[in-house]
Amino acid sequence: MSNHSPLGSVGATQTAIGEELADVTKKHKRTAALRQWWNDRSRLQQWLMLLVVVALAYLLPVINPPLITTEPANDFAISCFNMALYALVALGLNVVVGQAGLLDLGYIGFFAVGAYVAALWTSSDSTFVHIPYLATLPLAMIVTVVFGIALGLPTLRLRGDYLAIVTLGFGEIIRLLATIIPGLKGNTGFQNLGRPPGTNADGEALFTASNGLPWYWLVVTIIIIVAVLLGNLERSRVGRAWIAIREDEDAAEIMGVPTFNFKLAAFGTGAAIGGLAGALMGGQVGFVNNQKFDVPTSILFLAAVVLGGRGNKVGVILGGAIVAYIPLRFTELAAYKYLIFGIVLVLLMIFRPQGLFPAKAHLLTYGSRIRRWVKKEQAPAQPEGGPPPGSAPPAPGGSTAQSTRRARKET
Amino acid sequence: MSMLEVNNLEVRYGRIRAIEKLDLTVERGEIVTLIGANGAGKTTTMRAIAGLLAASRGSIRFEDRDITKLKAYKRVPLGISLVPEGRGIFGSMTVMENLDMGTYSRSGKKADSELDRVFELFPRLAERRTQAGGTMSGGEQQMLAIARALMARPDMLLLDEPSMGLAPQFIRQIFRIIKEINAQGTTVLLVEQNANQALAIANHALVLESGRITKTGTGRELLADPSIKEAYLGVA
Ligand SMILES: Nc1ncnc2c1ncn2[C@@H]1O[C@H](COP(=O)(O)OP(=O)(O)OP(=O)(O)O)[C@@H](O)[C@H]1O
Ligand SMILES: [Mg+2]
């Protein structure tokens, strides 16, 4: 008989898994403790701290902290712009992937459409009617929503892997169209895109390709607006429907959720934000051609969402910033960025599958009704901790039954 | 007029015909049970009634209204709630949030009395209200699935194998609760492998074999039927 009983090794694996799980829960506890601490602060304290964080975010390129800076290889303000841009993209993709749980591998397609909208309507190389650059931002959103719905209508009946493959195809198709359609100028591309108005004291334009600062501030401001709007959406019926769809589509449908419509809404919302980011990219760089919208970049967007933590807005913003930052800061590594992110993602999936900043437990974050329910039901249950000795043990849930009866009388 | 009338229903998965020529009526206030072997088409029937599967032939009428072509989410406000096979709990949502999802079709309306009702039926859920649905035991999830369906205040509750995978004492409890729900005025259509107990509480019962109804009768009649005994009740 062998000493190496297969059962023995199974046992060992199981302990290992057990330890790993314990480790994961420990980490969970740490985030939970942080969250608890945050929840314990007063509203005013929370706002003040947020204000400081936002102020620091705005000032980041001005402070240009040593060690963190991407210079001399890359201008730090422009790097910051790129980080913010990726953060915005991650925020939009998160609606689709993180909230509604739809795997979209072709998100770059929407980004491209947005960039081309900005190019077609403002570039000196375009024969289109020209409009002010800032007007292309909402226009890009409208056009990408149309693209999003056109893609979503036939494909959102597909599930999981099929959807991923179709969206992957979409991303490629957009890139190929940019190459094939003569009006889109392929590799030659469009130069001299428009930019937001404004000059400094010397009469020079504020927004230029070489000055990243105003662009960065513009994108950070947009991120804040978008994040606040999305936050409201998430706490509404729409957000609950998305989470339900992500968890179990059939179950959502039989709760009365029009799942198809809501998936389309998620797709459209995500598309609009992707288009907006694309138009911002076009404006800052001042040049758009077909070379920037490849599939690996699309996967990088997805990596930002997964890295940050699907479903957590703050998390994916940081995820986007990190994904953009690393190749800019460590230029020696830039050539290996896909390899590095690949390894990082694999490690992440092993040790922290919910991402660096997992979505919070939903309880108490949405639905004032639930908050009220929990409070109402928990209040009378509290004295349960110490029933007077000798008293008859309450029937299971007895206190609840009493409290509900009371509640019924009240109404 | 019957509450639910299914006529000549046929449902296909591609080229496979899962059920055909299926007739079924449920009167208001009844418990009707559908029994049959694995793969007989029970789940298919339930999903078709709930609207998750399209009928390729035949009709479904509910409360004298043709709902054959109605989308699933539009059937919920009419009063049809399904407790799906496998429960379909929203795993990352808490018990409370799952229950809240149950009220989705009744947007804006107060649901406190429904909440009280399900907590009276399932005190265990009241104790676990902040636990994530995915971390509950199988039996607790089944309770949650039923409770969630009740939150929609259905006129008709469709239960697809509520006793699946539960311990005997849990099964007895679930059946008692089904009777209780029915006594409180909800019509029940019940799919079960546990034919014995299902037939015992059913007013009417149907036997489904390879996608067709082969036998109907009262619960009592089928319980006494020798061929049923042999095939479904484990009595030689
Ligand atoms: N998605 C599907 N695609 C193809 N065939 C399916 C699908 N779902 C079910 N079927 C087939 O339809 C038939 C009926 O399945 P159904 O799930 O309705 O059976 P059931 O009576 O609920 O069985 P069980 O008691 O095992 O749950 C089976 O032959 C099954 O293989
Ligand atoms: Mg079944």
Side-chain angles (χ1 to χ4, degrees):
Chain A
M1 230 171 85
S2 151
N3 282 336
H4 293 277
S5 135
L7 283 180
S9 70
V10 168
T13 332
Q14 274 173 349
T15 5
I17 291 173
E19 274 158 17
E20 220 164 78
L21 279 179
D23 206 37
V24 169
T25 25
K26 215 189 301 160
K27 277 183 204 144
H28 262 306
K29 285 221 182 84
R30 217 179 302 145
T31 22
L34 190 68
R35 197 160 285 144
Q36 186 61 46
W37 174 84
W38 173 254
N39 287 338
D40 288 346
R41 301 302 103 186
S42 75
R43 205 80 183 132
L44 184 68
Q45 282 173 316
Q46 290 182 350
W47 274 108
L48 285 176
M49 278 186 279
L50 267 181
L51 215 62
V52 171
V53 171
V54 168
L56 282 178
Y58 272 104
L59 290 178
L60 181 65
V62 180
I63 302 169
N64 198 354
L67 287 180
I68 292 180
T69 185
T70 54
E71 290 167 3
N74 293 295
D75 178 81
F76 190 57
I78 289 176
S79 296
C80 285
F81 165 80
N82 281 309
M83 287 156 64
L85 197 67
Y86 265 65
L88 181 61
V89 167
L91 203 51
L93 184 55
N94 181 49
V95 174
V96 184
V97 178
Q99 297 293 322
L102 305 165
L103 190 49
D104 184 350
L105 297 179
Y107 195 64
I108 188 85
F110 299 123
F111 187 74
V113 170
Y116 273 101
V117 166
L120 285 170
W121 270 277
T122 67
S123 162
S124 56
D125 296 339
S126 167
T127 54
F128 270 51
V129 195
H130 283 50
I131 59 174
Y133 170 76
L134 286 181
T136 65
L137 298 184
L139 182 63
M141 294 174 79
I142 294 167
V143 173
T144 39
V145 165
V146 172
F147 271 81
I149 289 174
L151 173 65
L153 272 178
T155 58
L156 284 176
R157 303 202 190 275
L158 304 172
R159 291 191 182 181
D161 307 347
Y162 297 108
L163 182 66
I165 289 166
V166 173
T167 51
L168 188 65
F170 168 77
E172 272 300 87
I173 287 171
I174 295 291
R175 192 176 66 84
L176 291 174
L177 285 181
T179 311
I180 296 165
I181 298 178
L184 295 177
K185 291 181 169 292
N187 199 10
T188 318
F190 296 88
Q191 301 195 9
N192 300 321
L193 266 70
R195 51 178 62 118
T199 50
N200 63 10
D202 303 339
E204 292 161 9
L206 276 179
F207 289 81
T208 62
S210 56
N211 183 7
L213 206 54
W215 287 104
Y216 171 72
W217 284 335
L218 176 64
V219 180
V220 171
T221 309
I222 288 175
I223 287 177
I224 292 172
I225 295 169
V226 168
V228 168
L229 292 178
L230 287 179
N232 286 332
L233 209 55
E234 281 164 25
R235 282 185 295 275
S236 71
R237 282 169 65 75
V238 182
R240 283 191 298 154
W242 282 341
I243 295 173
I245 291 168
R246 181 183 72 201
E247 304 266 306
D248 189 328
E249 200 171 325
D250 278 346
E253 180 86 18
I254 56 173
M255 297 296 110
V257 176
T259 54
F260 182 77
N261 302 355
F262 275 117
K263 288 200 288 184
L264 205 56
F267 229 63
T269 309
I273 298 171
L276 176 62
L280 286 165
M281 189 278 291
Q284 196 276 329
V285 178
F287 173 68
V288 171
N289 74 356
N290 62 0
Q291 295 301 302
K292 291 172 177 157
F293 310 113
D294 50 352
V295 168
T297 309
S298 203
I299 306 293
L300 218 50
F301 290 165
L302 194 63
V305 173
V306 175
L307 181 76
R310 268 169 294 175
N312 179 350
K313 284 189 302 299
V314 178
V316 299
I317 288 174
L318 292 174
I322 292 171
V323 165
Y325 173 75
I326 298 211
L328 290 168
R329 169 68 180 80
F330 307 101
T331 36
E332 332 68 82
L333 301 180
Y336 305 101
K337 66 179 171 185
Y338 296 118
L339 178 68
I340 292 169
F341 285 125
I343 294 171
V344 166
L345 282 183
V346 168
L347 292 176
L348 197 71
M349 286 307 105
I350 295 173
F351 295 108
R352 204 173 167 87
Q354 58 297 78
L356 291 180
F357 311 94
K360 40 188 150 217
H362 304 294
L363 188 82
L364 308 185
T365 63
Y366 78 70
S368 57
R369 171 145 85 194
I370 295 182
R371 224 171 304 160
R372 196 159 47 75
W373 280 358
V374 171
K375 279 205 192 114
K376 180 186 110 186
E377 296 291 329
Q378 251 163 5
Q382 245 141 39
E384 223 176 24
S391 68
S399 64
T400 316
Q402 273 163 22
S403 77
T404 52
R405 234 163 273 142
R406 214 175 306 137
R408 198 165 280 177
K409 259 180 223 138
E410 278 165 19
T411 45
Chain B
M1 133 206 150
S2 308
M3 189 176 209
L4 177 73
E5 282 180 49
V6 178
N7 279 312
N8 194 31
L9 184 68
E10 178 186 281
V11 178
R12 293 162 162 275
Y13 296 106
R15 314 183 67 188
I16 305 165
R17 203 181 291 146
I19 55 173
E20 58 182 320
K21 298 201 176 101
L22 186 133
D23 295 326
L24 182 154
T25 57
V26 179
E27 305 294 335
R28 178 175 286 281
E30 278 190 327
I31 297 181
V32 172
T33 187
L34 194 59
I35 60 174
N38 291 125
K42 306 182 295 296
T43 297
T44 306
T45 309
M46 296 295 250
R47 288 171 66 86
I49 296 171
L52 291 174
L53 289 172
S56 50
R57 192 173 292 177
S59 71
I60 304 171
R61 296 181 74 80
F62 183 74
E63 306 267 43
D64 218 21
R65 171 173 174 186
D66 188 345
I67 59 165
T68 317
K69 295 263 179 287
L70 207 60
K71 295 212 173 67
Y73 74 88
K74 288 186 176 161
R75 300 188 193 192
V76 188
L78 296 183
I80 302 180
S81 272
L82 170 69
V83 179
E85 187 176 55
R87 305 166 190 130
I89 293 299
F90 302 116
S92 81
M93 293 192 199
T94 63
V95 168
M96 277 301 194
E97 287 163 338
N98 269 281
L99 294 176
D100 185 55
M101 280 310 299
T103 68
Y104 199 89
S105 61
R106 316 175 44 221
S107 61
K109 295 204 193 75
K110 281 199 124 187
D112 294 36
S113 65
E114 279 68 40
L115 191 68
D116 292 345
R117 178 184 173 205
V118 301
F119 278 166
E120 261 173 70
L121 284 170
F122 304 103
R124 177 85 67 107
L125 295 182
E127 294 161 19
R128 299 294 175 90
R129 56 176 78 86
T130 57
Q131 187 176 342
T135 64
M136 311 249 293
S137 80
E140 289 166 348
Q141 288 192 7
Q142 190 58 258
M143 292 177 182
L144 180 55
I146 298 175
R148 188 183 61 181
L150 289 176
M151 292 300 286
R153 208 189 243 167
D155 296 312
M156 171 172 278
L157 188 62
L158 309 175
L159 291 160
D160 194 347
E161 295 206 40
S163 75
M164 185 161 57
L166 303 187
Q169 118 210 28
F170 240 81
I171 294 180
R172 271 195 295 281
Q173 198 184 341
I174 288 279
F175 276 100
R176 207 173 53 237
I177 287 166
I178 294 170
K179 270 178 85 166
E180 170 74 21
I181 290 168
N182 178 248
Q184 289 174 1
T186 308
T187 307
V188 173
L189 178 57
L190 171 68
V191 158
E192 261 303 329
Q193 297 272 355
N194 240 301
N196 227 330
Q197 296 182 67
L199 290 174
I201 65 166
N203 302 99
H204 282 94
L206 304 94
V207 179
L208 195 59
E209 274 176 43
S210 311
R212 289 165 179 265
I213 301 283
T214 55
K215 202 160 258 176
T216 61
T218 65
R220 213 177 281 264
E221 280 166 9
L222 294 201
L223 259 182
D225 188 312
S227 65
I228 299 283
K229 269 188 183 160
E230 191 178 341
Y232 301 106
L233 302 180
V235 185

